[in-house]
Amino acid sequence: MELNTSGIIGKSPALTGVFTVLSKVAPTDSTVLVTGESGTGKELLVRALHANSRRRDKPFVPVNCGAIPRELLESELFGHEKGAFTHAIRNRAGRFELADGGTIFLDEIGEMDLSLQVKILRVLQEKEFERVGGTRTMKVDVRIVAATNRDLEAEVAAGRFREDLFYRLNVIPLHLPPLRERGEDVLLLSRCFLERFCAQKERPVLAVPAETSSVFLSYSWPGNVRELENLMERLSILCDEDHIRPEDLPRKIWDDVGKAPPAPAAVPAARPAGFDWPVVADLKAKGMGLKEFLDEIEERLLAESLEMAGGVKNQAAEILGIKRTTLIEKLKKKNMLGA
Ligand SMILES: Nc1ncnc2c1ncn2[C@@H]1O[C@H](COP(=O)(O)OP(=O)(O)OP(=O)(O)O)[C@@H](O)[C@H]1O
Ligand SMILES: [Mg+2]
């Protein structure tokens, strides 16, 4: 049977072990520290944790500590009083207050400054804090869940992370194993993603023949589930057959598994030297109108750049020379943003 915990797909022992701990810890108020490489599903797991907790009808408030400028993070978390700093023109509640009764998710906690770490420790221990520039002590009932893809023990040893906070956070450690350690989950996941993306593109679900499966199983997936998800999306757009041929897989994968792609493929090398701009005859040959043709080209370039960037949108935007927000807007319009 396919295990499905709030959309988390997988039935490898490595993952079911995580589910077992999840089911035990979700109903409690214990602090949980989720670790794992980028793209392993840490955020998905934390959402499942909240959804299975007694706090499920209360707010779930994620904060990406790595994405908010350091000087703003404190006021983002704890709020501020009018006049606390130049732009504090009115009183403002922070995320801890917004999360009252629910769960706050401190994502990328390894990026947090030492000075702020002390304040988090205090919330953990005393459940209280002050707004920036405020004197009133605020009390909240918040469950704290943190995640990081850093090795926090090494960060502690290097003096970049407080040891007391580490132990206080690490009450229940949940480690998400990298995709390459999840065996046939790779195949299960690729099938689920193909079903989703092919349905979006209104095409029959692409089959994955044995030769292709074996490449999936030996590839190291440095970008983990996110990379797999993006690749399946790309293939759902670019594959012309009803199945994924090994030669449809990107060069990066072949380099990693240490093999050469099957002979006729080697797609980039097979392209003629020089670049020919499409001509009207190409439109006619494809039976497409101008808009459709341009849309198709755009979709292919978007998918390729995302693939090149391992799913990192900032990087894909850079490759295309557009703003990240423009990229996201385009992906949204084309239904390519994923779930
Ligand atoms: N087991 C899974 N089943 C289905 N989808 C998954 C699974 N794991 C991850 N995903 C999907 O992969 C993508 C990346 O997952 P997520 O954002 O949770 O990873 P993360 O560990 O938080 O990554 P990062 O460290 O880069 O923030 C998301 O689109 C998520 O829905
Ligand atoms: Mg994340």
Side-chain angles (χ1 to χ4, degrees):
M1 250 308 283
E2 184 177 310
L3 252 161
N4 194 330
T5 312
S6 309
I8 308 177
I9 297 157
K11 51 184 184 180
S12 60
L15 197 64
T16 48
V18 173
F19 288 146
T20 308
V21 180
L22 178 75
S23 63
K24 286 187 189 159
V25 73
T28 74
D29 267 345
S30 293
T31 304
V32 175
L33 179 63
V34 182
T35 55
E37 290 177 13
S38 182
T40 46
K42 296 186 291 298
E43 174 148 4
L44 209 54
L45 185 68
V46 174
R47 287 181 185 275
L49 187 77
H50 176 73
N52 288 294
S53 77
R54 280 180 280 122
R55 297 169 177 266
R56 72 177 72 91
D57 298 322
K58 295 284 167 45
F60 174 79
V61 179
V63 186
N64 188 331
C65 304
I68 299 172
R70 278 157 203 271
E71 62 280 10
L72 294 185
L73 188 56
E74 180 175 359
S75 104
E76 197 57 47
L77 287 171
F78 300 120
H80 61 247
E81 299 288 338
K82 186 175 163 182
F85 45 87
T86 321
H87 299 293
I89 50 174
R90 58 175 73 89
N91 294 343
R92 183 164 179 263
R95 308 263 181 115
F96 271 100
E97 281 172 71
L98 298 178
D100 199 15
T103 306
I104 195 164
F105 172 33
L106 302 177
D107 201 1
E108 297 187 27
I109 194 156
E111 313 300 313
M112 193 182 277
D113 273 349
L114 285 163
S115 59
L116 204 46
Q117 291 175 21
V118 186
K119 298 186 179 176
I120 299 295
L121 186 63
R122 178 164 165 235
V123 190
L124 272 165
Q125 283 170 342
E126 324 286 346
K127 308 260 176 227
E128 57 183 43
F129 61 89
E130 283 92 33
R131 286 179 174 176
V132 177
T135 47
R136 195 156 46 106
T137 298
M138 324 281 294
K139 281 259 175 202
V140 281
D141 166 29
V142 169
R143 181 188 202 175
I144 298 184
V145 182
T148 179
N149 49 29
R150 293 202 188 193
D151 176 354
L152 279 194
E153 270 176 300
E155 294 296 298
V156 169
R160 285 190 296 264
F161 203 84
R162 290 183 64 103
E163 189 172 19
D164 46 9
L165 178 59
F166 171 67
Y167 287 117
R168 190 63 192 71
L169 285 173
N170 203 34
V171 180
I172 311 283
L174 265 178
H175 178 68
L176 271 172
L179 185 57
R180 61 187 161 278
E181 289 172 16
R182 296 191 207 170
E184 303 218 336
D185 278 2
V186 177
L187 305 181
L188 188 61
L189 280 158
S190 54
R191 209 157 42 239
C192 291
F193 290 138
L194 284 172
E195 278 166 15
R196 186 167 93 213
F197 293 125
C198 291
Q200 279 175 11
K201 309 279 170 326
E202 297 179 339
R203 65 180 292 177
V205 182
L206 282 162
V208 182
E211 316 87 82
T212 304
S213 299
S214 83
V215 179
F216 285 174
L217 287 168
S218 45
Y219 179 51
S220 69
W221 300 106
N224 293 292
V225 184
R226 182 180 293 113
E227 182 181 6
L228 177 69
E229 186 175 9
N230 290 325
L231 177 64
M232 293 309 125
E233 172 156 24
R234 179 186 183 197
L235 292 168
S236 76
I237 297 169
L238 298 185
C239 277
D240 293 323
E241 314 280 323
D242 60 356
H243 61 281
I244 302 171
R245 298 167 307 170
E247 57 262 43
D248 291 330
L249 302 178
R251 173 110 251 159
K252 183 180 167 210
I253 292 188
W254 290 107
D255 288 346
D256 179 272
V257 299
K259 287 190 218 151
V267 179
R271 282 177 57 142
F275 172 76
D276 289 323
W277 291 98
V279 291
V280 173
D282 296 324
L283 259 74
K284 292 264 182 311
K286 292 257 176 216
M288 287 177 165
L290 178 64
K291 173 146 189 352
E292 225 183 317
F293 192 79
L294 294 178
D295 277 349
E296 169 87 19
I297 292 178
E298 191 174 22
E299 211 159 295
R300 283 172 179 258
L301 294 176
L302 288 168
E304 187 185 350
S305 64
L306 273 172
E307 168 59 32
M308 287 165 73
V312 180
K313 297 197 183 65
N314 276 335
Q315 229 170 296
E318 208 169 290
I319 291 170
L320 293 173
I322 58 178
K323 282 199 288 207
R324 181 174 191 276
T325 43
T326 312
L327 175 78
I328 290 173
E329 215 172 285
K330 287 184 185 298
L331 294 174
K332 230 185 245 163
K333 239 189 234 157
K334 294 182 181 297
N335 232 337
M336 290 170 64
L337 208 49

